[in-house]
Amino acid sequence: FRLPEPMPEIQIFNTLGREKQVFVPREPGQVSMYTCGPTVYKYAHIGNFRTYLMSDLWIRALEYLGYAVTQVQNITDVGHLADDSDTGEDKVLKAAQEEGKSPEDIASFYTRAFMDDAALLRIRRPDAQPRASDYVEKMIDDVVRLQEMGLAYEVDGNVYYDVANRPDYPKLSHNTLDQLQAGYRVDVDPRKHNTADFALWKGAGPRRLQVWDSPWGSGFPGWHIECTAMSLSYFPTGFDIHTGGVDNVFPHHEDEIAQSEPLINGPVANYWIHGEFLTGDGGRKMAKSAGNILRVGELVDLGYDPLAFRFLCLGAKYRTKLSFTQEALDGAAAGLDGLRRRASRLGTASKPESQPARRLQARFEAALADDLDLPLITSLLQETLRSNTAEGERRALLEDWDRVLQLD
């Protein structure tokens, strides 16, 4: 039921510029999006899924407003170290040792679990879901090219990105090299040129289970180069939107930019969209390391409709922290049940042609276009149910808007 007037101007808060910017796609009517996907070594929790819900809502909003969206979301099944730096254990290998399984079995099991939980939340399946282990040759080629450009150097089988040779590093996180150097609190490889240099390739130890041959000897890729190789395999000249959690801004997305842009001689993504944390009791970020996690499947075991969590996430702007408590979830479950019961009493849908219905429709589209204003959309649902607009028109509006909201 989109209105015949021109599409609303879409505003996106771009982390790269720290401001709302008018969305202009690379190709008219088409949107290309890359989403940082899960590292499949444990179950994803609802804090993770708040970020994936954000990406899903952006996709559905853009499609509702008339765009065709192509989304690529990776699966990280190798190379992501336990402390997210250049040292430590690979998360997948560590889980394989703890569970007495092969790395491949670990990755396969938790990938399936991730997809099942995403389906419970009605998160749209990506158009492509590449696995990092299938793109190692592309990663090696990219590292070789960066080395040939003078942006990388090899030391004893390890290849590091030389940040000093990238004048605009770091530009996404709005840090400076001096700040980054002062902030390092872990032992830094003394062979690095700069403490902020990051690993593109790591030499393998003698007991490493997953290794590949390379020009620098047996080893495995760094975490950041994986997303560069996969995203540019699908979008060779770059893409419109990159999404992820706010914890990806540095170092992961910062390093992606540093790697990718020289390889394509231009911007890798024009808009960087980041979702804020879901916090648990006490305001701490929900994280596996904090031990305060809950799975989507566990919500079902506790008797909740998983879409109650989706509805809870609609109650806050995606760029603000959201507190998760049982009380908040109970409130969302009751609110969603109330919406459904009231909507079910509205009778048969009829085309919304009256002026009041058209005004409601215009406000819904404007809220989508204004950096995905989720709380405004949630309040608009209640307002529509209370309005004097004809019942059939109200039902038609709500059913149509659910193409984005997916609240059943």
Side-chain angles (χ1 to χ4, degrees), residues 9-46:
E9 182 179 82
I10 297 175
Q11 297 270 347
I12 292 176
F13 187 90
N14 191 352
T15 304
L16 190 60
R18 283 188 170 177
E19 64 179 2
K20 285 185 185 180
Q21 297 175 355
V22 176
F23 177 62
V24 180
R26 292 173 180 238
E27 297 182 31
Q30 305 288 321
V31 178
S32 48
M33 177 187 288
Y34 183 82
T35 298
C36 271
T39 300
V40 284
Y41 70 108
K42 294 290 184 188
Y43 291 111
H45 55 74
I46 58 173

Side-chain angles (χ1 to χ4, degrees), residues 299-351:
L299 295 179
V300 178
D301 295 339
L302 292 170
Y304 291 99
D305 181 338
L307 296 185
F309 176 68
R310 187 177 179 110
F311 186 56
L312 176 65
C313 290
L314 293 177
K317 292 191 175 182
Y318 72 88
R319 291 190 288 111
T320 62
K321 290 184 175 67
L322 175 62
S323 175
F324 178 85
T325 63
Q326 184 171 344
E327 182 180 14
L329 184 60
D330 286 340
L336 178 59
D337 182 62
L339 279 174
R340 288 171 172 167
R341 284 189 291 104
R342 291 163 68 192
S344 69
R345 295 196 292 264
L346 290 177
T348 303
S350 59
K351 190 172 181 180

Side-chain angles (χ1 to χ4, degrees), residues 99-382:
E99 298 190 27
K101 299 177 181 177
S102 71
E104 293 76 16
D105 286 343
I106 288 290
S108 177
F109 178 84
Y110 288 111
T111 298
R112 183 70 263 163
F114 173 82
M115 293 178 178
D116 289 346
D117 284 351
L120 288 174
L121 292 172
R122 293 196 172 188
I123 293 175
R124 192 187 91 159
R125 187 78 174 263
D127 298 286
Q129 209 158 22
R131 299 169 190 259
S133 58
D134 292 332
Y135 287 79
V136 175
E137 289 303 316
K138 174 70 163 62
M139 298 171 203
I140 293 172
D141 291 343
D142 288 345
V143 175
V144 168
R145 289 181 59 199
L146 291 169
Q147 197 171 9
E148 291 171 347
M149 294 176 187
L151 291 169
Y153 59 93
E154 184 263 341
V155 181
D156 298 335
N158 301 302
V159 183
Y160 293 107
Y161 190 98
D162 195 341
V163 297
N165 285 346
R166 179 72 179 174
D168 62 355
Y169 185 91
K171 67 179 181 179
L172 181 68
S173 56
H174 305 281
N175 288 312
T176 67
L177 278 181
D178 289 341
Q179 289 171 328
L180 294 180
Q181 290 170 337
Y184 276 90
R185 299 178 182 175
V186 296
D187 293 334
V188 176
D189 188 338
R191 298 168 297 181
K192 288 185 179 183
H193 294 175
N194 188 303
T195 55
D197 292 350
F198 57 89
L200 299 169
W201 185 263
K202 295 289 290 181
R207 292 186 293 175
R208 171 85 189 186
L209 293 178
Q210 289 178 301
V211 295
W212 289 264
D213 291 332
S214 79
W216 317 283
S218 295
F220 59 97
W223 175 34
H224 314 307
I225 196 64
E226 296 180 353
C227 279
T228 289
M230 287 184 279
S231 65
L232 296 184
S233 292
Y234 286 88
F235 306 121
T237 60
F239 45 96
D240 293 305
I241 297 173
H242 198 312
T243 65
V246 68
D247 52 336
N248 287 147
V249 174
F250 185 87
H252 188 46
H253 290 169
E254 189 76 77
D255 295 348
E256 268 191 75
I257 291 175
Q259 299 162 161
S260 302
E261 293 192 346
L263 292 172
I264 62 174
N265 194 30
V268 62
N270 291 337
Y271 303 87
W272 293 78
I273 302 178
H274 291 97
E276 257 291 0
F277 294 134
L278 186 73
T279 61
D281 287 332
R284 290 191 305 164
K285 167 192 171 185
M286 190 170 286
K288 299 177 184 71
S289 58
N292 61 346
I293 65 171
L294 190 67
R295 284 186 57 213
V296 176
E298 289 177 307
L299 295 179
V300 178
D301 295 339
L302 292 170
Y304 291 99
D305 181 338
L307 296 185
F309 176 68
R310 187 177 179 110
F311 186 56
L312 176 65
C313 290
L314 293 177
K317 292 191 175 182
Y318 72 88
R319 291 190 288 111
T320 62
K321 290 184 175 67
L322 175 62
S323 175
F324 178 85
T325 63
Q326 184 171 344
E327 182 180 14
L329 184 60
D330 286 340
L336 178 59
D337 182 62
L339 279 174
R340 288 171 172 167
R341 284 189 291 104
R342 291 163 68 192
S344 69
R345 295 196 292 264
L346 290 177
T348 303
S350 59
K351 190 172 181 180
E353 296 181 312
S354 69
Q355 282 302 314
R358 290 167 67 87
R359 283 194 293 269
L360 289 168
Q361 176 65 21
R363 291 172 59 196
F364 177 75
E365 293 178 17
L368 292 180
D370 185 14
D371 196 37
L372 197 60
D373 192 336
L374 300 174
L376 182 56
I377 291 168
T378 303
S379 66
L380 191 60
L381 295 176
Q382 301 286 358

